[in-house]
Amino acid sequence: MKILIINDGRKGSVAIAKSVAKQISKAQIKESIVEFKNSTKDLPNFILLKLILSFGPRAIAKINTMPFRKNEKVVIISTSRKSAVIAVWLKLKFFDESVIIQFLKPQLPVKYFNIIFLPQHDKKIIIDNKKIHRFFLTPSLFDFEKIKEKSDNTKDNSEKLMVVLGGKNGRGINRKNISPKNITDIITLTKKWQAQKKKREIFFLTSRRTTDNIENIIASKTANMKNVKLCFSNETSTEMFQKLFSVADSFLITPDSFSMISEAVFSNKPVFIFNKKGMSRKKHMRFVNSVILKKIAFSSDELTSTINRLSKKIDAFTLLQTEIKDIIGLIEEANKRMTDDIKEKCLYAKEKIFDKFVFSIIDFILIIPIILIRIFRILKGKETLKMSLQKLTLVKVKTHRGKLIWFHGASIGEITSVLPLVYKILNESNLNVLLTSGTLSSANVIKKKIQNDDFDGRLIYQPAPVEIPICIRRFLKCWRPITCFRIDSDFWPISLKIIEKFNLKHILINGRISEKSANIYNKIPAIKKVINSSLSHCFMKSEKDLNFMKKLGCENLKVLPNLKYTELKTDIKNIGKIELLKKSFGDKKVWHGAVVSNQEIGLIREAHSILKSQKNDILTVISPRKIEAIKNYDWDEETTAFFSKGQIPNKKTQFFINDTFGNVDLFYKSIPTTFIGRSFEEKNNKAGSNPIPAIREGCFIFVGYNYYNFTDVFDELIKYKILKVLPSSNQSQHIAESVGFFLSMKYTDKIKWNERAKQFRIDKMNTLDITLKEIIKIKGLG
């Protein structure tokens, strides 16, 4: 077994490296110490790791030697927080077959390391983790064996007490300064100790952290004391420190330095710690309490006690040797149990670091274009300023303390289809529900639909974050959902990847995917991998959709009824509007072109002309899919009424235009004969509109030959014989003939049609319960 020990060149790091190397060499294990110079000390370790993986070690450090060959089996030991970065890089770059052992908290995820040794005084960074081991004492630059040897050979008859004083560290924030009162109390205690027995000497030894003010107080208060020597830091060399430590018979030390206490206890002399309230931080107190509990040192209250405490003292050097021996044992054990599992974790770590670096690049590239797009959409009236800020996660929101689940759909259709399921969840649980969508029109409609729902604020709407990593991460950190439900097939690789990194259950419901999209995803392995690894369960609308997802490698697939069958009925508040519309139609023969495309508006106008030549009292109602499409045609003001202007049809009206958003349900309820639009479009993967709202309201519906988007629904309607499908030729003529057919249908035929439609609705009533039952089965859903 070969061991590579890495340190950052600082005193403490070198001390640990040499101490560990010395003990390893005794075990006859080949070792080598490597030092590097860190030029970016203030950067967090994770950013340093990103830099070094991207640009190589010279981006942050200069490694002096590299004694091992690439891919050699090596145990890498890091003895500082910064050297942890180099250790991880070496493993990922050169030594995939090796393990990393880290001394001190690495400031990197624990998963990168095989064993971490933490000082006893550090906070627990992981609870009950087998990787974490505690070591007790801080290794020192002093040669402990020589200190003991010199101490044992000292023949001076006088008893010497070494009073060691610390102070603030270089940054002046991690240690509290010794107060004048503390100095007075220490001197009082030493006087009492000196008075108990003759031939007792006292040495006051200060460190480089002790302030000049404290040294002046010591000098003034000990001026009249006998057998007192002052050894201040600016007058004491390293050799003098070592000599003083070797000749001392006992120590009285302030609690603000781990190294001073460790160096003292290694001499195997009695050590007393002066630890009064307010003198040290919590971590110093933890260390002091632990050494006293281990009987390596004693409280300063014991200094003048007549009880012989030395007989109960534990030999610190023996303890250190035991700890080092345990460390060597763990190193050897780690070397033996190196398995494919360790390799897999290493690859995962490498992948995660790469992902985060890539996400940072994406953020940098996309943030400016995304902001410009937001500004453009605001100027065009497609978004409000508030909505744009919410999408960029720049607006603070009040989140709920309870558990929250997230439903995301691209637009109105997806969100409204899932509302019954959401309401059922809210009624039957204490969960909070967050709804998100991407468009302003959907935001307005959804807010209107849910504003009067009494769920004590547990149902929330929020615009979905834009598709850049920083916004998605901020969104998830803000809302902290326990589960994400994606409605339909709104696949965005970046959001899928980040949701996966947050370890969220991610479920596709009402899922569908076109053959064209599935083929594209299959050709891009990275996107394919993201889709099948992110989605834990996929509930598809049809067997065809299920097979497409299966080709992408997705698991836990199942076909469930379309949730659009459960969409909410017309709000009771709209009944007055419906009655007003019916009254305004009078005795006219009325038919409705619903959610029609720009091309189909022209077909409907042609069909109207055909019908007009046959029936003088015909009224054609048009609900365009895109309101702006109406502007592409000339409309006679005398014969055209616009719903957005509050106009209603009169005797002269031939066209009634529903140029509003979210009100098509009013016309399904008011007009029985309905043509379902977007069904004469040539684009296979976009053609077809949802017929379910029209069926639910009892409409007689007919549709063009191309209804790709809702193939599963239309096929069901054909089975129940409640749908008429038109051929691709002579489109306007066939539309006119179908309108004539329904308008002149016999009463008995209408009854039979309505009975079949009613049976269809009854058969689909249990859709909600089936979906909820399948969701509840999922383990770990929260």
Side-chain angles (χ1 to χ4, degrees):
M1 178 173 63
K2 296 180 180 179
I3 295 180
L4 179 63
I5 305 173
I6 311 171
N7 67 84
D8 62 5
R10 292 186 299 174
K11 184 177 178 180
S13 177
V14 173
I16 297 174
K18 287 185 176 180
S19 179
V20 173
K22 185 174 183 179
Q23 300 304 319
I24 288 172
S25 63
K26 288 182 180 180
Q28 297 183 343
I29 299 171
K30 184 178 179 181
E31 49 80 19
S32 179
I33 297 179
V34 171
E35 291 185 7
F36 73 93
K37 294 180 180 179
N38 184 7
S39 59
T40 52
K41 292 179 180 177
D42 295 329
L43 285 177
N45 275 17
F46 198 85
I47 293 177
L48 293 181
L49 191 54
K50 283 185 183 180
L51 288 172
I52 199 172
L53 285 171
S54 305
F55 306 111
R58 291 184 182 179
I60 65 164
K62 182 179 179 182
I63 299 178
N64 296 332
T65 57
M66 183 53 63
F68 302 123
R69 298 188 304 274
K70 186 175 181 179
N71 296 325
E72 192 169 0
K73 195 172 181 180
V74 178
V75 175
I76 305 170
I77 300 178
S78 160
T79 62
S80 71
R81 293 170 177 81
K82 294 299 181 185
S83 60
V85 177
I86 302 297
V88 172
W89 174 75
L90 286 172
K91 180 179 176 76
L92 298 179
K93 190 75 174 176
F94 297 110
F95 306 127
D96 283 345
E97 295 291 322
S98 301
V99 296
I100 303 179
I101 295 168
Q102 170 68 27
F103 282 84
L104 307 181
K105 187 176 178 180
Q107 295 177 343
L108 286 170
V110 175
K111 68 182 72 170
Y112 297 163
F113 305 91
N114 301 97
I115 302 173
I116 298 176
F117 292 102
L118 296 179
Q120 194 69 32
H121 54 268
D122 269 8
K123 287 183 180 178
K124 292 183 178 180
I125 59 171
I126 294 260
I127 298 173
D128 297 330
N129 192 302
K130 293 181 180 179
K131 286 185 177 183
I132 308 298
H133 297 271
R134 294 281 174 176
F135 68 87
F136 189 68
L137 295 167
T138 304
S140 165
L141 279 173
F142 285 18
D143 190 330
F144 306 125
E145 290 175 335
K146 287 184 179 180
I147 292 175
K148 281 189 69 178
E149 184 181 342
K150 287 183 180 181
S151 299
D152 294 338
N153 294 332
T154 302
K155 296 181 180 180
D156 195 333
N157 292 327
S158 61
E159 187 178 348
K160 299 175 179 62
L161 174 67
M162 188 68 58
V163 181
V164 187
L165 304 169
K168 286 188 177 181
N169 68 359
R171 288 175 288 178
I173 55 174
N174 287 343
R175 291 183 176 89
K176 298 184 178 181
N177 210 348
I178 303 170
S179 69
K181 185 179 184 307
N182 296 145
I183 295 300
T184 302
D185 291 342
I186 289 170
I187 292 173
T188 301
L189 183 62
T190 57
K191 283 181 179 180
K192 186 177 178 181
W193 173 82
Q194 195 177 43
Q196 286 180 330
K197 193 176 179 180
K198 293 179 180 180
K199 292 187 178 181
R200 282 188 168 180
E201 292 183 70
I202 302 172
F203 291 80
F204 282 90
L205 179 61
T206 61
S207 73
R208 65 184 185 277
R209 298 188 179 97
T210 311
T211 62
D212 292 341
N213 181 46
I214 293 300
E215 290 183 345
N216 292 334
I217 293 172
I218 295 169
S220 120
K221 288 188 177 291
T222 60
N224 298 324
M225 290 176 63
K226 294 180 180 180
N227 297 325
V228 172
K229 294 181 182 179
L230 304 180
C231 307
F232 291 160
S233 58
N234 58 350
E235 302 169 358
T236 310
S237 64
T238 302
E239 291 181 2
M240 181 60 73
F241 267 104
Q242 188 165 346
K243 183 177 179 181
L244 290 170
F245 267 68
S246 66
V247 301
D249 295 296
S250 57
F251 297 88
L252 176 63
I253 304 180
T254 55
D256 44 16
S257 174
F258 303 132
S259 60
M260 289 193 306
I261 294 172
S262 296
E263 288 160 7
V265 298
F266 282 131
S267 67
N268 206 29
K269 307 290 180 59
V271 176
F272 303 91
I273 303 174
F274 188 86
N275 188 26
K276 299 301 179 183
K277 186 176 181 181
M279 282 193 69
S280 59
R281 296 170 69 227
K282 287 183 179 179
K283 78 171 192 175
H284 294 89
M285 291 174 66
R286 283 196 295 270
F287 177 70
V288 169
N289 292 335
S290 63
V291 295
I292 292 174
L293 186 64
K294 288 265 187 180
K295 296 182 181 179
I296 297 172
F298 307 101
S299 169
S300 58
D301 297 335
E302 307 284 348
L303 180 64
T304 56
S305 173
T306 57
I307 302 172
N308 183 8
R309 301 290 182 183
L310 188 58
S311 61
K312 297 183 179 180
K313 186 181 183 304
I314 303 297
D315 186 348
F317 185 70
T318 303
L319 177 62
L320 178 66
Q321 287 181 315
T322 303
E323 287 188 337
I324 294 290
K325 186 177 180 181
D326 291 341
I327 290 170
I328 298 298
L330 288 167
I331 289 170
E332 292 174 341
E333 182 185 339
N335 189 50
K336 289 176 183 177
R337 69 166 186 256
M338 215 177 309
T339 61
D340 291 337
D341 182 55
I342 293 174
K343 295 179 192 176
E344 189 176 321
K345 287 179 181 178
C346 175
L347 291 172
Y348 175 76
K350 187 174 183 178
E351 180 184 314
K352 185 171 182 179
I353 295 167
F354 177 75
D355 287 343
K356 290 205 172 186
F357 184 74
V358 170
F359 288 157
S360 299
I361 296 297
I362 293 172
D363 287 336
F364 180 77
I365 293 172
L366 293 184
I367 189 66
I368 299 301
I370 287 290
I371 291 173
L372 293 176
I373 290 170
R374 303 270 75 77
I375 294 171
F376 175 78
R377 290 180 67 83
I378 291 170
L379 294 176
K380 284 289 185 178
K382 294 184 176 183
E383 279 184 19
T384 63
L385 175 60
K386 182 179 179 181
M387 185 176 184
S388 290
L389 292 175
Q390 287 175 324
K391 286 188 169 188
L392 292 169
T393 62
L394 296 176
V395 176
K396 288 186 177 180
V397 293
K398 291 183 178 180
T399 56
H400 290 262
R401 292 184 180 179
K403 292 182 178 180
L404 179 138
I405 55 176
W406 172 27
F407 286 86
H408 170 72
S411 57
I412 292 177
E414 289 82 2
I415 294 294
T416 52
S417 70
V418 84
L419 277 178
L421 178 62
V422 168
Y423 290 160
K424 194 169 182 66
I425 290 171
L426 289 167
N427 282 321
E428 297 181 7
S429 73
N430 293 322
L431 293 170
N432 300 299
V433 175
L434 174 67
L435 300 174
T436 63
S437 64
T439 61
L440 177 62
S441 54
S442 63
N444 292 334
V445 172
I446 294 163
K447 285 180 181 178
K448 188 176 178 181
K449 281 181 177 291
I450 69 175
Q451 66 183 353
N452 297 320
D453 296 318
D454 186 19
F455 292 109
D456 297 325
R458 292 190 295 126
L459 178 57
I460 314 137
Y461 174 77
Q462 174 84 8
V466 295
E467 186 69 9
I468 58 175
I470 189 171
C471 293
I472 300 167
R473 285 197 302 268
R474 283 169 60 88
F475 177 87
L476 292 172
K477 286 179 181 178
C478 172
W479 290 100
R480 297 286 179 186
I482 58 172
T483 305
C484 171
F485 290 94
R486 186 170 295 267
I487 310 157
D488 216 305
S489 60
D490 188 19
F491 296 151
W492 292 97
I494 294 175
S495 61
L496 290 176
K497 188 71 175 176
I498 294 175
I499 289 171
E500 180 188 359
K501 295 297 180 185
F502 272 73
N503 295 320
L504 283 176
K505 280 284 183 183
H506 195 184
I507 301 162
L508 177 65
I509 55 175
N510 234 35
R512 68 177 178 85
I513 184 171
S514 68
E515 184 176 4
K516 182 178 179 181
S517 297
N519 290 335
I520 291 172
Y521 295 151
N522 262 315
K523 292 176 183 178
I524 307 175
I527 296 179
K528 179 180 177 180
K529 182 180 178 182
V530 168
I531 291 173
N532 64 52
S533 63
S534 172
L535 295 170
S536 58
H537 292 75
C538 299
F539 299 126
M540 310 306 294
K541 292 179 182 178
S542 67
E543 286 290 341
K544 182 177 68 175
D545 294 311
L546 183 142
N547 290 330
F548 289 152
M549 293 300 286
K550 190 180 288 185
K551 288 179 182 178
L552 290 176
C554 294
E555 299 178 353
N556 299 318
L557 295 162
K558 192 164 188 175
V559 176
L560 293 181
N562 196 324
L563 275 177
K564 289 185 181 290
Y565 293 134
T566 68
E567 286 181 2
L568 302 174
K569 292 187 177 181
T570 305
D571 193 331
I572 194 170
K573 293 181 180 179
N574 290 326
I575 291 177
K577 294 180 182 179
I578 294 167
E579 293 302 320
L580 181 62
L581 283 173
K582 286 182 177 180
K583 188 176 180 180
S584 69
F585 298 152
D587 295 330
K588 286 180 175 291
K589 301 291 184 180
V590 186
W591 71 288
H592 180 205
V595 200
V596 293
S597 64
N598 182 31
Q599 172 202 347
E600 288 168 337
I601 293 174
L603 294 177
I604 288 173
R605 285 166 62 102
E606 292 174 8
H608 175 85
S609 298
I610 296 171
L611 290 165
K612 184 68 176 172
S613 63
Q614 301 169 359
K615 301 178 184 290
N616 293 328
D617 57 348
I618 195 75
L619 174 63
T620 299
V621 179
I622 301 175
S623 293
R625 179 175 179 266
K626 294 183 178 180
I627 295 170
E628 56 267 24
I630 292 295
K631 298 176 183 178
N632 296 327
Y633 296 88
D634 294 325
W635 304 95
D636 183 2
E637 292 184 2
E638 287 189 10
T639 59
T640 306
F642 293 91
F643 191 52
S644 64
K645 298 178 181 179
Q647 299 172 348
I648 57 174
N650 54 39
K651 291 182 179 180
K652 293 183 179 181
T653 304
Q654 296 183 29
F655 291 100
F656 186 24
I657 311 300
N658 172 27
D659 53 344
T660 61
F661 207 83
N663 287 313
V664 69
D665 281 359
L666 298 178
F667 294 89
Y668 287 143
K669 193 75 174 178
S670 309
I671 306 166
T673 302
T674 301
F675 166 70
I676 303 298
R678 295 186 70 201
S679 52
F680 281 120
E681 290 187 359
E682 296 299 328
K683 294 180 180 179
N684 290 336
N685 62 333
K686 291 186 178 180
S689 294
N690 179 18
I692 293 173
I695 289 293
R696 184 188 58 230
E697 302 299 347
C699 295
F700 306 106
I701 64 172
F702 57 102
V703 66
Y705 69 97
N706 188 6
Y707 45 79
Y708 184 89
N709 256 346
F710 290 88
T711 301
D712 57 320
V713 178
F714 283 111
D715 287 347
E716 286 277 311
L717 296 177
I718 291 170
K719 287 180 184 178
Y720 280 81
K721 298 181 180 180
I722 50 175
L723 173 70
K724 187 174 182 180
V725 180
L726 309 184
S728 59
S729 59
N730 299 323
Q731 295 166 357
S732 57
Q733 181 65 39
H734 284 295
I735 290 173
E737 289 175 0
S738 297
V739 172
F741 169 77
F742 285 112
L743 291 178
S744 59
M745 186 184 289
K746 294 180 181 179
Y747 179 76
T748 53
D749 292 335
K750 287 183 179 181
I751 293 296
K752 291 178 181 178
W753 186 289
N754 285 331
E755 285 178 352
R756 294 194 297 270
K758 183 179 179 181
Q759 186 60 48
F760 173 82
R761 292 193 293 272
I762 290 171
D763 291 345
K764 301 303 177 184
M765 281 179 64
N766 62 346
T767 295
L768 193 60
D769 293 329
I770 292 171
T771 303
L772 190 59
K773 186 177 179 181
E774 290 297 328
I775 290 173
I776 291 171
K777 286 181 183 178
I778 299 173
K779 293 182 180 180
L781 195 58

